[in-house]
Amino acid sequence: IWFSLSDYWVGSPGQFIGLKNYIDVVNWEVFQRTVWNSFFFTFVAVVLKTVAGVWLAVLLARDFRFKKLIRGAVLLPWVIPTALSTLAWWWMFDSLYSVINWTAIRLGLMTAPGPNWLGITEYAMTAVIAVNVWRGLPFFAITVLAGLVSIPREYYEAAEVDGAGPWGRFVHVTVPLIKPVLAVVVLFSTIFTFADFNIVQVLTRGGPVNTTHLFATLAYQQGLVGGNLGQGAAISLFLFPLLGAVVFIQLRYIRKE
């Protein structure tokens, strides 16, 4: 907080300047783009993780061979260190050695040489969202699965006797009973996604031309790489009221449930 209220640079203690850093940052075009990126990135990633996570949890709740082994394998993206797994994705998205492009070209889904995933803004944002969803999906699936297995079978049997099909049982039994668990998972996922740093830093470093920055990566670039610790601290503290509002709203909903 003190850094954000002073003109603190690396090697220079700085003096108190009040809210000047915040005013300068708000009027900075790159920061305005970062605000939009952060909300768009978080919204799309959390929605995709919610839909895919519930679907995967329902599949994992069924009885099938090697169930325990597959449940353990699903956790791998969450267990592997973020920087290490993201480096693998960085190679997969590489403009020259992209296995994604190679596979799609061989299948006739795109023409050679394929898109430059990390060099064009739209593709780069798609790439970081895809990696975030891939990494966060196991957390969603396993947590929702814990909620699913706690639902008494009698509810499903009663619904089936009343004539409810698979979709009816899912909508009228499963969804209402996992809502509290789902709300907690969405809360944590929103916080993790808003504050994401490793994925964007490893894949794009905020590029191309500062168009994929999130709060954490822009604060790092401005404060540590650029040396302007005052502005870097101000950028990072913008997360606090935003996350505070998200947590407040979601916790009220959870208590109500």
Side-chain angles (χ1 to χ4, degrees):
I1 293 173
W2 168 248
F3 282 1
S4 72
L5 299 175
S6 64
D7 58 346
Y8 205 112
W9 283 74
V10 173
S12 173
Q15 296 179 346
F16 179 79
I17 57 173
L19 298 176
K20 185 177 185 304
N21 283 329
Y22 291 94
I23 296 171
D24 291 344
V25 163
V26 167
N27 292 324
W28 186 23
E29 185 179 349
V30 174
F31 177 78
Q32 294 170 3
R33 178 62 185 260
T34 299
V35 173
W36 160 253
N37 287 346
S38 299
F39 277 97
F40 178 79
F41 172 80
T42 302
F43 176 77
V44 174
V46 171
V47 168
L48 291 176
K49 283 184 282 189
T50 302
V51 174
V54 172
W55 173 76
L56 182 57
V58 171
L59 290 181
L60 293 176
R62 297 181 177 181
D63 291 324
F64 52 88
R65 294 182 65 185
F66 309 114
K67 180 168 68 173
K68 292 183 179 179
L69 182 64
I70 293 175
R71 284 181 178 179
V74 166
L75 277 174
L76 282 176
W78 179 258
V79 174
I80 298 173
T82 308
L84 190 62
S85 59
T86 308
L87 275 174
W89 280 98
W90 180 67
W91 275 101
M92 290 166 66
F93 286 125
D94 186 85
S95 58
L96 295 178
Y97 309 107
S98 173
V99 67
I100 296 174
N101 287 359
W102 184 89
T103 304
I105 291 169
R106 294 300 182 278
L107 293 175
L109 300 177
M110 61 176 63
T111 56
N116 181 2
W117 288 101
L118 304 179
I120 300 174
T121 301
E122 291 75 16
Y123 290 133
M125 183 57 73
T126 302
V128 295
I129 290 175
V131 177
N132 182 273
V133 171
W134 171 83
R135 176 164 173 75
L137 188 58
F139 174 70
F140 254 91
I142 296 301
T143 310
V144 173
L145 176 62
L148 285 176
V149 298
S150 67
I151 299 175
R153 298 300 307 171
E154 291 80 3
Y155 292 159
Y156 290 108
E157 293 169 0
E160 194 170 358
V161 169
D162 289 339
W167 179 250
R169 294 195 295 273
F170 176 76
V171 172
H172 298 293
V173 178
T174 303
V175 172
L177 291 176
I178 66 169
K179 260 185 173 179
V181 175
L182 200 56
V184 173
V185 183
V186 170
L187 171 63
F188 279 106
S189 182
T190 301
I191 294 172
F192 295 153
T193 308
F194 244 124
D196 200 344
F197 172 79
N198 287 334
I199 291 175
V200 176
Q201 182 63 21
V202 172
L203 284 181
T204 66
R205 290 175 175 79
V209 199
N210 296 319
T211 54
T212 60
H213 268 307
L214 304 179
F215 284 111
T217 55
L218 185 63
Y220 173 80
Q221 178 180 310
Q222 190 72 0
L224 296 181
V225 177
N228 191 342
L229 294 176
Q231 283 197 1
I235 294 169
S236 66
L237 282 175
F238 267 95
L239 271 175
F240 180 72
L242 293 174
L243 290 180
V246 170
V247 170
F248 176 76
I249 293 170
Q250 290 193 308
L251 284 180
R252 285 198 63 182
Y253 173 76
I254 292 171
R255 290 195 189 102
K256 182 180 176 182
E257 287 294 313

